Amino acid sequence: MSKYQTLFEQSVNNPEQFWQLAAENIDWYKPFDKTLETEYQASGRWFSGGQMNTCYNAVDRHVKAGRGAQAAIIYDSPVTQTVRKISYAELQRLTAEFAGALLAQGVKKGDRVIIYMPMVPEALVAMLSCARLGAVHSVVFGGFAANELATRIDDAKPKVILSASCGIEVNRQIHYKPLLDEALDLASHQVDKCIILQRPQHFAKLNELHQQDIDWNEAISLAEPVDCTPVAATDPLYILYTSGTTGQPRGVVRDNGGHAVAMQWSMTNIYNNKPGDVYWAASDIGWVVGHSYICYAPLIAGCTTLIYEGKPVSTPDAGAFWRVVNDHQVKTLFTAPTAIRAIKKEDPEGSFLSQYDTSSLQNLFLAGERSDPDTLAWAEKLLSIPVIDHWWQTETAWAIAGNPMGIEPQQIKHGSAGLPMPGYNVQILDDEGDIKATGEMGNIVVKLPLPPSCFSTLWQNAERFHESYMATFPGYYLSGDSGYIDNDGYVWVMGRIDDVINVAGHRLSTGAIEEVLSSHPAVAECAVFGVIDQLKGELPLGLVILKTGVTDSEDKILTEIIQRARDQIGPVAAFKQVAIVNRLPKTRSGKILRGIMKKIANGETFKTPATIDDPAILDEVATALIDLGYPKTA
Ligand code: COA
Ligand code: AMP
């Protein structure tokens, strides 16, 4: 048996022993009494009885161990022409001060804090400061509109919100304060304070609409630094909202102890990084990749983490990633396939690469969506290093399948997400719950218990947690993805079984977009589904039926609908394609056939379902899609 196989077998046959050993690499104030409580919520719960602090493990312990002078964070911002290095000692001071500021504003252990910020070091300081106090943060991606922020405010009920005066996109500034004020108007829950970081690029007016704002630096100046608060391993570290099938996002709850153990383990065994290495996850703190691999894992492992405020292209060009690798001696780069596609589109020959020395780079990891074999092969040829697709979800916080580069590199199969990672007993089930034969497509599930760091519940909604993930196949976690396992045990993740789509590595709910479309006064009915896009992987496309008697022009209505999606969900949804139809294809029981419309748009073959109400509607839909340019010819 290979070393990987031995470890994998140990992890599924004796998970408690496996993770108990891994937990030795985390500093505990009080050792845990029980490694795994299998009976907890069906999913299991790790390290109960233990006490620790995530910020201590990510920051203070490295200072104590003599690594205070090492860079903890490198902030590289081409959009503001800034590079800033923050040592572990400085990060300890910054988190102690800002945790003090939060405490002075009334935040204590267990209180929620929403963070709605751009990619600046203060965003990481904010997350770590919450962890320092035992407060529960919930980061909301900056590309979400006020309405989405309001939904999260009402669900998480934060005491304090942390934001900044602006974010900087390629061609414009995003002024967060008006969005925040609008969200606070929309939300029923009221917060005590908003702490606002003023950036030199734009000064936000404080206390203009709501009298609760306080300047970031002022908040710090009013407070004393504080030490780390011991928390239970099973206490929540953060809530991260992700898309499900409805407009109401799912609040994934991550605990402190299991998370720290798995983060540390993954840095060594999957990414092959050791203290002092420079690790760069080119994502955003608003996503799980940002939580795990911009903030927590690299710091817990004593690496240097890189915060990049820019894009793979146009800040200033398609050589941006290679420039950053060169400038900061990046050893591991992690991004989404869409970013590589964007670079490939601008610079198909990869000519920018020759301007830089990227010899420090040992591995490129991709996730967020399936890596299409063309893109993976292109990057492999260009960089001459292993390019590794790995599959994971907000729910898990680390890879379910991948390639354990720190244990021993495995063969790379283009198009596959790799082998199940230790801890994840991945299986394929048919809709009746029977195990599928090797090579056959089905529901990808993980046999319980889930390993440490996987979510323990949905925020204040254990019922939805159970219904959405645990109830379909008792004893298994339903991933929501479909695919198969091949003869060599490799997992092939081919698509979703629900209405979630993946736009530029961002997970979105078509149901949420449909809710916005339906709210337009002229819309009687609608359907949204994902269509293939060469750059972003998928894009949402909407078809709407208008109410009878509507007098506005169709152009006006369509423009309003697109604007409404941008205003209510955010620019990140990239909802720009919508057409008017007279009817939508449905089954006789009234279920809209989104999957069939998706296949028509993507030019895929399909079988007309026997249960369809009126097959002629498919021709009408095909005509509307042709007008929108679908199916696309390559
Ligand atoms: N705040 C405000 N607006 C934001 C934002 C933020 N933090 N991030 C993105 N947006 C806006 C963009 O400006 C854009 O607006 P536009 O419609 O006015 O152009 C829109 O949201 C879509 O953004 P994005 O998905 O980033 O697309 P893009 O066309 O600007 O860039 C890529 C395309 C491929 C370069 C980009 O998607 C990318 O780098 N992706 C990396 C993927 C990633 O980080 N995935 C996370 C999971 S690993
Ligand atoms: P998120 O929770 O935002 O990280 O999105 C998780 C979803 O993205 C998964 O359920 C998959 O549908 C998709 N996904 C992420 N990584 C991969 C991958 N490597 N291969 C295929 N799909 C992926």
Side-chain angles (χ1 to χ4, degrees), residues 23-56:
E24 286 175 11
N25 294 317
I26 290 302
D27 286 19
W28 300 87
Y29 296 122
K30 178 178 171 289
F32 43 91
D33 313 312
K34 209 161 169 29
T35 311
L36 171 65
E37 276 177 278
T38 36
E39 61 283 4
Y40 180 81
Q41 292 252 56
S43 57
R45 179 157 81 159
W46 293 92
F47 310 120
S48 48
Q51 286 193 359
M52 44 80 72
N53 182 284
T54 298
C55 181
Y56 179 83

Side-chain angles (χ1 to χ4, degrees), residues 169-232:
E169 281 295 291
V170 177
N171 46 10
R172 66 187 197 284
Q173 287 186 359
I174 314 291
H175 294 169
Y176 286 123
K177 191 64 194 7
L179 292 169
L180 177 56
D181 282 340
E182 194 187 332
L184 289 169
D185 282 342
L186 289 168
S188 335
H189 173 76
Q190 291 307 308
V191 301
D192 290 358
K193 281 280 177 222
C194 293
I195 305 181
I196 311 293
L197 176 76
Q198 296 283 15
R199 301 187 73 187
Q201 293 76 18
H202 170 74
F203 277 83
K205 284 196 189 121
L206 303 190
N207 295 313
E208 199 179 18
L209 289 178
H210 302 273
Q211 302 306 306
Q212 65 207 1
D213 300 335
I214 176 164
D215 175 87
W216 190 280
N217 292 325
E218 192 190 336
I220 293 171
S221 69
L222 296 172
E224 292 296 319
V226 295
D227 213 341
C228 297
T229 306
V231 298

Side-chain angles (χ1 to χ4, degrees), residues 169 171-172 311 501 503-504 508 513 516-517 528-531 533 535-536 538-544 555 557-567 569-580 624 627-630 632:
E169 281 295 291
N171 46 10
R172 66 187 197 284
K311 299 266 174 182
I501 58 170
V503 179
L508 296 167
I513 305 176
V516 174
L517 267 50
V528 174
F529 46 92
V531 291
D533 180 71
L535 176 65
K536 297 197 176 191
E538 270 186 305
L539 280 175
L541 185 150
L543 297 177
V544 296
D555 276 356
I557 294 169
L558 293 177
T559 310
E560 284 172 2
I561 287 174
I562 290 171
Q563 191 59 41
R564 195 171 268 248
R566 193 174 169 91
D567 292 345
I569 296 189
V572 69
F575 182 79
K576 293 176 183 165
Q577 310 179 91
V578 54
I580 295 168
D627 290 344
L628 286 174
Y630 291 93
K632 297 232 184 273

Side-chain angles (χ1 to χ4, degrees), residues 368-370 389-394 481 493 496 502 507:
E369 55 176 319
R370 178 169 181 254
D389 187 11
H390 60 332
W391 166 58
W392 48 299
Q393 309 180 305
T394 305
D481 285 312
V493 184
R496 294 282 307 186
N502 201 309
R507 173 168 160 184

Side-chain angles (χ1 to χ4, degrees), residues 503-515:
V503 179
H506 312 314
R507 173 168 160 184
L508 296 167
S509 154
T510 53
I513 305 176
E514 284 181 0
E515 282 180 25

